[in-house]
Amino acid sequence: MTLSKTGEITLFLAATLTIMVGTAVAPGLSNIAEALGVTAYAPLLITLPALGAILFAPIFGKCIDGLGPRKTLLICLFGYFIMGAGGALLYGPFPIALDRILLGGFAAGIMAAGTAEISCWYTGKARLNMIAKQGMAIELGGVIFLFISGLLSELAWHGPFMLYFLGLICAIMCLLFIPSNNIKQPQSKTKPQIPKNTMGPIMMCTFFAMILFFSIIISLPGHLTTLGFSSSQIGNLLAFISLIAVFAAMFMPRLVAKTSEGTAIKLAFISYGIGHLLFASSTLTMSLIAGAVFAGIGFGFSLPLLNHKTVEISSEANRGHNLSRFAIAAFSGQFATSALEVIHLPKSTIFYVCAFISVLCILILVVNQRVLATTTNAQ
């Protein structure tokens, strides 16, 4: 028994909320910050949700293991809607900071509970395909919602906050189209037969994968500006990276079927490394486009595979806990990348450092190859 198509769409739409949590206000950031009385702290409107995700992910991990993924997902969707849309009604640094932190916490819960819900309904190749589609939805959501947010911000400063109503829509769809997990097996208290440190390499690679992706989002626009590219050309290239990531995630299950998950994850970081090297060393348009292709492949392969590996090594008893740790690693990488806004290094140097990080991740994968190849069927 599997979910209906509307149930699958519900989970995919919910997944897009995680990428939208901070970026929904990005196009109209200056006007929104002024209206909310936080002009001096405008970048925090985007970065604070990541901090909230880091702080609250463990709580929602326990909720998944205790209440189940569906109930946890509903709680987080309603919370996401209230904190997101309600942010437009607040004023001043402290209320806004608290609101954004709580919003990020609910986003982390949505990420973990959505994947846990997929794991309740699918196994094996079907589960990998669903998680790949989940990754595609996240990337498409990033492109579409940034575009819509830009249009709404031109209508009114609070227009982008309307996007957070999607949390309410997803909650209603979840109630209607995702049944209670009556197929869920009784929770087993037996620990999965896997090495205790397995989540360590996965969390490190997830953390670095997010740094490698968001460093491009933060550093590439300034780098291209110095090369004479216009704002529209920069926006098109960033959108192109996301589009490549969508197609990469679509192709990834076929690659895994012909090789292995470990090989595909290594290829993800090899692609990241090549992409960053091209961004650092080239001024030619075609080389930069090639860099965008490799960067998109890196993101499209890495996060879905690492997410799936987290599910694969988890048992029914600790799945929520492990998925919350995955969410912590992902949002920690996103939050750490915000430091690039305050350090004054040449953009080419940042790209070279990221290429080195890609090599470091490959070494982590090689050293832990046996551990990461270990799986469990304790579903």
Side-chain angles (χ1 to χ4, degrees):
M1 182 179 180
T2 58
L3 278 177
S4 63
K5 290 297 181 182
T6 48
E8 292 180 353
I9 291 172
T10 299
L11 291 178
F12 296 150
L13 185 59
T16 65
L17 301 181
T18 60
I19 195 70
M20 190 185 77
V21 59
T23 58
V25 299
L29 183 61
S30 298
N31 291 335
I32 291 172
E34 182 179 357
L36 297 179
V38 292
T39 302
Y41 311 100
L44 292 180
L45 292 175
I46 296 176
T47 58
L48 276 179
L51 176 60
I54 297 167
L55 295 175
F56 288 97
I59 296 175
F60 291 116
K62 292 181 179 179
C63 288
I64 293 170
D65 291 333
L67 299 176
R70 183 176 182 270
K71 290 181 180 178
T72 304
L73 182 59
L74 283 168
I75 291 170
C76 292
L77 287 171
F78 279 116
Y80 185 97
F81 157 65
I82 294 170
M83 292 295 107
L89 306 176
L90 302 176
Y91 186 86
F94 180 76
I96 294 298
L98 181 61
D99 175 81
R100 300 300 286 182
I101 288 173
L102 291 174
L103 175 64
F106 287 119
I110 291 171
M111 173 185 282
T115 303
E117 188 67 31
I118 288 174
S119 70
C120 287
W121 293 91
Y122 300 90
T123 59
K125 293 181 180 179
R127 183 179 59 202
L128 178 60
N129 286 331
M130 280 292 294
I131 291 179
K133 291 177 182 178
Q134 183 188 47
M136 292 165 55
I138 292 173
E139 276 304 313
L140 277 176
V143 176
I144 294 171
F145 291 138
L146 275 174
F147 175 74
I148 295 175
S149 177
L151 296 178
L152 291 174
S153 64
E154 292 181 1
L155 298 176
W157 71 265
H158 48 72
F161 287 87
M162 297 295 292
L163 288 172
Y164 293 114
F165 275 83
L166 280 173
L168 177 61
I169 295 173
C170 284
I172 295 172
M173 292 176 67
C174 184
L175 286 169
L176 294 176
F177 304 126
I178 299 181
S180 297
N181 296 327
N182 53 3
I183 63 168
K184 188 177 177 181
Q185 299 298 322
Q187 288 196 1
S188 170
K189 300 302 180 182
T190 303
K191 297 292 184 181
Q193 298 302 311
I194 55 175
K196 292 183 179 180
N197 66 336
T198 306
M199 272 306 295
I202 292 175
M203 290 182 69
M204 282 191 289
C205 289
T206 301
F207 174 76
F208 287 130
M210 293 301 281
I211 286 180
L212 292 171
F213 178 71
F214 278 95
S215 64
I216 294 171
I217 303 301
I218 291 175
S219 300
L220 190 59
H223 180 60
L224 294 179
T225 298
T226 61
L227 297 179
F229 286 80
S230 67
S231 297
S232 61
Q233 289 174 323
I234 294 170
N236 289 338
L237 189 63
L238 292 176
F240 179 67
I241 293 174
S242 294
L243 186 62
I244 292 296
V246 171
F247 286 109
M250 183 188 305
F251 174 75
M252 178 266 291
R254 298 181 184 179
L255 176 65
V256 170
K258 293 182 178 180
T259 57
S260 67
E261 288 189 22
T263 299
I265 296 175
K266 293 187 188 76
L267 285 174
F269 287 104
I270 291 172
S271 297
Y272 262 139
I274 295 173
H276 280 280
L277 285 175
L278 287 171
F279 290 144
S281 61
S282 181
T283 59
L284 299 176
T285 300
M286 290 308 298
S287 296
L288 294 170
I289 292 175
V293 170
F294 281 108
I297 292 172
F299 189 66
F301 281 6
S302 60
L303 265 294
L305 280 167
L306 291 165
N307 196 10
H308 181 259
K309 180 60 68 175
T310 301
V311 174
E312 200 172 33
I313 66 168
S314 303
S315 69
E316 186 76 21
N318 67 1
R319 184 181 297 143
H321 174 68
N322 283 344
L323 285 171
S324 72
R325 295 172 70 189
F326 174 85
I328 290 171
F331 282 100
S332 294
Q334 181 178 342
F335 186 72
T337 313
S338 62
L340 295 177
E341 296 180 358
V342 296
I343 61 176
H344 300 288
L345 287 175
K347 296 296 187 287
S348 59
T349 301
I350 292 174
F351 292 132
Y352 280 124
V353 170
C354 288
F356 173 78
I357 290 175
S358 300
V359 175
L360 178 62
C361 290
I362 295 169
L363 291 175
I364 292 172
L365 291 167
V366 171
V367 170
N368 295 277
Q369 185 165 347
R370 182 186 62 82
V371 173
L372 291 175
T374 307
T375 62
T376 177
N377 295 319
Q379 301 300 328

